[in-house]
Each structure stands twice: as structure tokens, then as C-alpha cells.
Amino acid sequence: MLRRSAAFLWKYKKTTLVAAGASYAGYRYIKIQRENDAKMVVAPESVLTWKIVDGLLVESSKNIKVGSLGFLGSMLRKALIDSDEVTIFDALLSLELAAKDPRIHEICINLTNGSKDSQGSPGSAGISLTQAQELRAALLAFTEQKKKQLGPTAGRVYFVVDSFDDQTTYLLASGCSDIIAQPSGYLPLTGVSSTQLFFRRLADKIGVKPVVESRKEYKGFASTFTETKLPVKQRENMVAIINAINNMLVDDIAACKLHGAKAPLTAEIVRSAMAEGPLSVPEAIDRGLLSRSGYLLDSKSITGPKSRIGITAYRLVREKEMSRQSDAKKKDTVCIVYMSGTIRRNGMHSASSLASALIKAAKEPSVSALVFRIDSGGGDAIASDTIAHAIDHIQNELGKPVVASYGSAAASGAVLASITCRKIFANPGSITGSIGVVAMKPVFTKKLLDYLGVNVEELRVVDNRSNSFTEEPTGAELERFRARVDKIYDYFVARVAKGRGFTPEQAEAVARGQVFTGIQAKDNGLVDELGSLTRAVEAAAQLGHKGTDDGYKADITENINVKFCVPETNLGFKHLAKNFMWQAMHEEAKNILLQNTSQSDIDLKLDDIFLK
């Protein structure tokens, strides 16, 4: 028996080695986590620290599906997520909890490129304009709350960086009381701009003719292929958007009140800096755009000998404290469902899978409402309609409200998908609108075919050339093509009218492909309120509350549980084991390997061990 067992283990030695290593790593993981949990406390007069790494401040965390691996799967899933990764929601919630927590007195934010093998930009937070706006508002609210709690000089927020690499990161920093950068660094404050490439001449040169139908004159997606410059209406719209965003940037930065600044900021100073930027750190200090110069290594001395707790550790401590509250079971539960990227009918994150995820989340007995967080410029009209129908089903058949939260963008098909939500929130800089339709098909002309030396013979039993890629649609075929586009546009506008309570004329006035900022969309009625993701969660909880207490007020820091629904990334066990082995390796061992072997060679060796 012993011999047969030994033979079996030897036969499957690779699997046995992986299983034994993973089991031991699991034991060590549990032991270390329990030891760390016991040490995590929030001391009085603490400083909340936050190390922001480019690429690791994310909209939503990875959702890696590991089948039925149970605890091992959970451990591997955590191992594949960088320890410095923080989601926007977790950051917002932590900042709002800290604002009400009398034990937290200050915040210190360090902007760094993270670990040795990080590919991020060290002077960039790697976030969008709207994410910066959400976090900036939370930082300003922290300072205001601390002044009420502890006095007019309390609530300092320090932002320390070697040099800024983009304007968006500086916008985030402008929500702080102290901005500190190395004397050798720069501040690239140069204003908002937009650059667009046009491929019409290239298409003519190679013999490709795009057949396009746009609804209507502001819908600019196809112009990059059909024009040599922006058409007048689209240019007007784009200039208005750029001006609006630049004005937001100027106004927010000018409102910054820095401790120790050489001069108070004004809109004129900010605009002058944009005209003359990038500025060196000494120049930025002279204009009042930075507090003073300093180094990342001096961060601890900046805040003094106070207790420090990292933002992730703080959130975990507060979660445990809140879970022990006697009324924890009485909280309303809101599920945040994320949609990002192009809306598609197929693929891993297809519209049908997202619709199923929305309905599955709504059917959970504990969930009282949903928040649909969107970061998408649109996509396929049919796919968008699939998601829209799921939201209608949830609200009309399941009786649970859905609140939309627009992130960086929620335009075109993303508007169609979300327009009937009970409430729609956007950030001031969210890009939305673009209520219109574009249909485009390329026609390969004789010029291209001759150049390639290709002959084409099309055989058909019905005289219908709609699907031909060598002939332009004409006559009845062209009319049918245009009619299809018109029907989709009319349906889109009708959905907008239904969702927002507009007349057909009011819906048409905000359609035609026009693009808006969040502020503009609030003014024209496409958006209900301007506010962050956490405000959208509170609105959803308020709408979904079933209690009889008339004085109920939803508060993200007190009476709301939040669940998350993120598109899954399927990984096989062997891929998980390979990645886990590399990430679990001691940092010194990694460094030694990288000094003598390239990363690609290491990857090949790990592939040889685990994937063959």
C-alpha cells in the first residue's frame, strides 16, 4: 500500500509539489493574516497613510473565477491582486469613514511607482478626471469635518510626490492642504486639449471607401474615416466640451487653499500657469501652486511622531468594528454592478452576461437596490438594449430600484442602457450624451483589389447586394440601410423621452449626437444629480429602504452594506498556480533572479513547470 502510494505520488510529482506548496503557503497565509489582524488598531491622533501607485488605483478590483477551489481559490485570488491596489469605492469609503472618526487627525498621501517591477508612471495616479474629482471632493470634506471636530487648524492632508506627470494627478492633489514635490520636479499644467487623426486620405489612397450613415449632425464617430477635418457642428461641440472641462480644472485648482503658500491662488494665476507650463517646482511654489519642496523619504517627518495606519488596513479595521455593531443586520444592502469598456453582444463581458449578472444580483433576497456604475463610451445598439431591458425587468417586475452612477464616460449606448434608471448620478467631468447612431461598412474598391492582385467573384441566388464588400449600396438597398439607422435612432430617442419624462421635442433637443459634460447633462435633464459613487449608493439605499421608520436617512458610513458584481476573469488552476508561485516568492529571491535572468525567461520556465 505504501509502495503504491509512493508510486502514485511520484507519477504526479508536479501536481503533488504544487499542492504541497500551496497547502503550506495557505497555512502560512492564515497564520500571518491572523497575526496582522491582531496588530491592526487605530490609535488616537493617527495619520491615515495612502500610497498611490499608478495603475493600482482602480475602478473595480479583479474578479477571478477559480471554480470550486474553495479556500485555496480565495487565497490564490487574493495573491493575484497587488497589495497596493485600492478601488475607487474603497478609497471613497475609507476617506468618508476617516472624516467622522475622531481618532484620525490627518492624511498623508504618497505618490510612488510602487515595487521594483512596476511599469507605472511614478508621478501619475493613473486615474481619470472624474475619479480625481470624486476623490478630491472626499479629501476636501475630510478637512472640513476635522475643522468642526478638532478646530480650525485640524485636518491637514499632505500630498507628497517627486514630480507630477499629468494634470489630473495635480487636480487630485489640489484637494489637499499641503502639496510637496522635489525641487528638481515639474508641474505639467498646460490646459485641456484634444487631438484627432483623420484617415480619409489614407482610405482614398489604398482604395477603401467607407459607407456611413450618421444620426445626426453631431455624431462624430465616423468622421475620422470620412473627413479630413472636423465638420462644423462637431467642432463646435468639441470646443464647448474642452472649454467646459478646462474651466472646471481652473476653478477647482483656484479654490485650493494651501498651507504656507507664497500667494493665494486665483483663476488668473492658474490660467497664466497653463499658458506658460510646464513649470518647475520652484516656479510653481512662487505662484502658490505648491506648498513647498520636499522628498518622499521625508514623509514621516512631515507628519511628526504620530501613529500611522495605511488606508487598506484602516478599512479592514473599520469593517470589523462596524460588523460588531448590534444593528448590523438592519442595514440595507446595495449591490454595485460595474460596466466598463465597449458594449458588445459577444465575448467574456457580453451584454447578455451583464444583463444576467444584474438580474442575479437583484434576485438576492438581501439586496434592496442596485447601483449601475458605468465607464463606457457606448457600443452595439442591440447589446445596449439588452442591458436596458434587464434594468426595466428589475425595476418593474422585481420591484427593486436601480441607480446609475456615471464615471469617466457614459455615452451613446451606455445612455441607452441606463436611461430608465430611477436616478442618474454623474460627476462634473463625466462625458455623456452622444444620443445618436452610426452605421458604417467598408467597401473595397477595384483600386485596392488591383493593387493586391485579388479577383473577386460573388455568387448569389437573390438579387440583394446588401452584404457585398466590393459594391456600394444603391437604390432600394441604400434606402433600406438608411431606414434601419433611422429606426434605431428613433427608438433611442423614444427611450430617452420615456426614461427622463421628456416630450419627443425635448428628447430630440438633447439628442442628434451631442456630447455633454456631467454639469451640462444636469442642466438639460439627462442627469438627476452631480455626485460620487458613494452618493449614488446612498440614493439607492434610500429608494430601496423597506423600513417603517419615517426619519430614515441612508448613510454609507453607518447603515448600508455594499456588495459588488464585477465581470469574471476565468483562469485555469495551472495559470493560477504559476502566478501565485511568482507573487508568493520572497522579494529578495525575485531580485536575484531578475539580476541574472530576464523576466521573459522566468515566465517561460514557469510555463514549462505548470502549463505543460
Side-chain angles (χ1 to χ4, degrees):
M1 180 69 180
L2 184 62
R3 184 177 296 174
R4 285 200 301 271
S5 299
F8 177 83
L9 292 174
W10 179 253
K11 181 177 180 181
Y12 298 101
K13 54 185 178 294
K14 290 183 180 179
T15 304
T16 304
L17 178 63
V18 172
S23 299
Y24 177 72
Y27 161 75
R28 291 288 299 166
Y29 175 81
I30 294 172
K31 183 178 179 182
I32 293 170
Q33 190 163 23
R34 286 177 177 171
E35 290 173 353
N36 290 338
D37 288 349
K39 295 176 184 176
M40 285 195 302
V41 293
V42 184
E45 300 185 24
S46 288
V47 177
L48 181 67
T49 63
W50 185 8
K51 182 173 73 171
I52 298 180
V53 181
D54 181 19
L56 295 181
L57 180 51
V58 296
E59 184 63 48
S60 60
S61 190
K62 300 172 186 174
N63 184 13
I64 301 170
K65 187 176 181 180
V66 289
S68 58
L69 293 177
F71 163 74
L72 179 59
S74 175
M75 183 182 66
L76 289 172
R77 186 163 50 240
K78 289 181 180 180
L80 289 171
I81 298 174
D82 196 293
S83 60
D84 291 323
E85 181 179 285
V86 177
T87 67
I88 295 296
F89 177 82
D90 284 345
L92 290 170
L93 179 58
S94 298
L95 293 173
E96 293 184 29
L97 287 168
K100 293 185 177 182
D101 190 341
R103 297 168 297 180
I104 300 293
H105 281 210
E106 296 178 343
I107 296 175
C108 185
I109 301 172
N110 288 355
L111 197 64
T112 172
N113 66 344
S115 58
K116 179 180 177 180
D117 54 349
S118 171
Q119 299 300 311
S121 175
S124 171
I127 56 175
S128 68
L129 171 71
T130 55
Q131 291 169 334
Q133 288 175 332
E134 287 179 296
L135 294 168
R136 178 182 179 276
L139 292 170
L140 290 171
F142 172 88
T143 298
E144 288 304 310
Q145 185 73 18
K146 290 304 166 186
K147 287 179 178 178
K148 294 176 183 178
Q149 282 179 1
L150 307 170
T153 61
R156 297 277 287 271
V157 181
Y158 303 91
F159 194 98
V160 189
V161 64
D162 57 358
S163 181
F164 286 94
D165 287 345
D166 58 58
Q167 298 178 110
T168 305
T169 301
Y170 179 70
L171 175 64
L172 171 61
S174 71
C176 302
S177 59
D178 298 75
I179 308 176
I180 303 162
Q182 285 184 195
S184 55
Y186 279 87
L187 177 58
L189 203 58
T190 55
V192 179
S193 63
S194 175
T195 302
Q196 188 165 341
L197 300 177
F198 295 90
F199 300 99
R200 171 62 186 271
R201 290 196 303 143
L202 174 62
D204 291 343
K205 185 178 292 186
I206 63 176
V208 175
K209 184 172 184 178
V211 177
V212 175
E213 288 294 327
S214 293
R215 302 291 183 274
K216 293 185 178 178
E217 68 270 24
Y218 292 97
K219 194 71 175 178
F221 173 78
S223 296
T224 188
F225 304 103
T226 61
E227 308 292 337
T228 57
K229 63 180 182 179
L230 276 174
V232 174
K233 292 291 186 182
Q234 294 170 25
R235 177 183 292 276
E236 289 175 0
N237 195 189
M238 183 61 69
V239 169
I241 292 292
I242 293 172
N243 276 327
I245 293 174
N246 199 71
N247 289 338
M248 287 180 213
L249 200 63
V250 170
D251 292 343
D252 286 347
I253 293 171
C256 180
K257 294 179 175 60
L258 294 179
H259 278 273
K262 288 188 175 181
L265 277 176
T266 64
E268 289 72 22
I269 290 175
V270 177
R271 291 187 186 279
S272 173
M274 286 179 170
E276 299 173 29
L279 303 176
S280 67
V281 164
E283 290 172 328
I285 291 172
D286 289 341
R287 296 180 186 224
L289 293 162
L290 299 177
S291 303
R292 59 188 183 277
S293 61
Y295 292 84
L296 284 164
L297 289 175
D298 301 330
S299 294
K300 288 187 178 180
S301 65
I302 290 170
T303 56
K306 297 177 181 176
S307 297
R308 299 162 70 89
I309 183 168
I311 193 168
T312 301
Y314 177 72
R315 181 179 55 80
L316 293 174
V317 170
R318 290 307 310 272
E319 280 181 359
K320 290 181 180 179
E321 291 175 349
M322 293 167 71
S323 68
R324 290 195 291 265
Q325 293 175 357
S326 59
D327 62 341
K329 293 183 180 179
K330 298 180 182 178
K331 294 182 177 181
D332 289 292
T333 297
V334 174
C335 183
I336 302 175
V337 182
Y338 288 89
M339 179 177 77
S340 61
T342 303
I343 303 172
R344 306 176 188 276
R345 293 170 65 191
N346 55 8
M348 184 182 295
H349 303 152
S350 66
S352 58
S353 64
L354 181 57
S356 298
L358 282 161
I359 292 172
K360 181 180 178 181
K363 286 183 175 179
E364 288 243 359
S366 63
V367 172
S368 58
L370 275 67
V371 168
F372 191 25
R373 175 69 167 186
I374 301 172
D375 186 6
S376 170
D380 186 88
I382 297 171
S384 302
D385 193 36
T386 298
I387 298 167
H389 177 69
I391 290 174
D392 287 349
H393 176 79
I394 290 166
Q395 297 187 131
N396 300 332
E397 304 299 325
L398 303 181
K400 294 187 178 180
V402 182
V403 173
S405 172
Y406 290 174
S408 303
S412 194
V415 174
L416 175 59
S418 61
I419 198 66
T420 57
C421 288
R422 284 281 298 277
K423 265 193 173 181
I424 299 177
F425 281 74
N427 290 288
S430 299
I431 298 300
T432 186
S434 192
I435 298 166
V437 181
V438 173
M440 181 170 65
K441 58 177 285 186
V443 173
F444 299 157
T445 65
K446 187 175 183 298
K447 180 178 181 179
L448 175 63
L449 298 176
D450 287 346
Y451 175 77
L452 296 176
V454 174
N455 294 327
V456 176
E457 184 176 359
E458 294 182 346
L459 303 176
R460 56 175 60 88
V461 294
V462 177
D463 187 19
N464 187 330
R465 292 173 173 76
S466 298
N467 294 326
S468 173
F469 63 88
T470 60
E471 296 182 41
E472 286 187 64
T474 58
E477 291 160 0
L478 181 58
E479 290 305 312
R480 289 195 298 269
F481 182 48
R482 290 171 174 168
R484 287 198 303 272
V485 176
D486 287 333
K487 286 179 180 178
I488 296 172
Y489 177 78
D490 292 342
Y491 177 75
F492 194 168
V493 174
R495 289 283 299 183
V496 171
K498 175 186 175 182
R500 304 308 298 165
F502 289 166
T503 64
E505 292 76 20
Q506 289 172 324
E508 180 68 17
V510 297
R512 311 181 74 85
Q514 297 171 87
V515 179
F516 306 105
T517 65
I519 291 176
Q520 293 166 342
K522 170 70 168 59
D523 292 339
N524 65 33
L526 284 174
V527 164
D528 292 297
E529 294 186 35
L530 297 177
S532 67
L533 176 57
T534 47
R535 298 292 77 77
V537 170
E538 289 174 341
Q542 193 77 37
L543 289 169
H545 182 63
K546 303 295 184 182
T548 57
D549 45 333
D550 295 334
Y552 173 81
K553 183 179 180 181
D555 188 327
I556 191 73
T557 64
E558 294 180 5
N559 54 18
I560 304 174
N561 288 323
V562 178
K563 291 185 174 182
F564 301 92
C565 180
V566 182
E568 292 177 338
T569 299
N570 290 284
L571 291 180
F573 175 77
K574 291 181 177 180
H575 283 89
L576 286 168
K578 169 195 167 183
N579 289 323
F580 177 73
M581 184 66 77
W582 174 247
Q583 294 204 25
M585 191 180 294
H586 193 278
E587 200 64 36
E588 288 299 322
K590 283 186 184 180
N591 292 338
I592 293 171
L593 278 173
L594 289 169
Q595 287 173 6
N596 299 285
T597 314
S598 69
Q599 180 70 60
S600 59
D601 288 340
I602 293 172
D603 286 340
L604 289 172
K605 186 61 178 175
L606 290 171
D607 286 344
D608 184 57
I609 294 172
F610 290 107
L611 305 183
K612 291 185 178 179

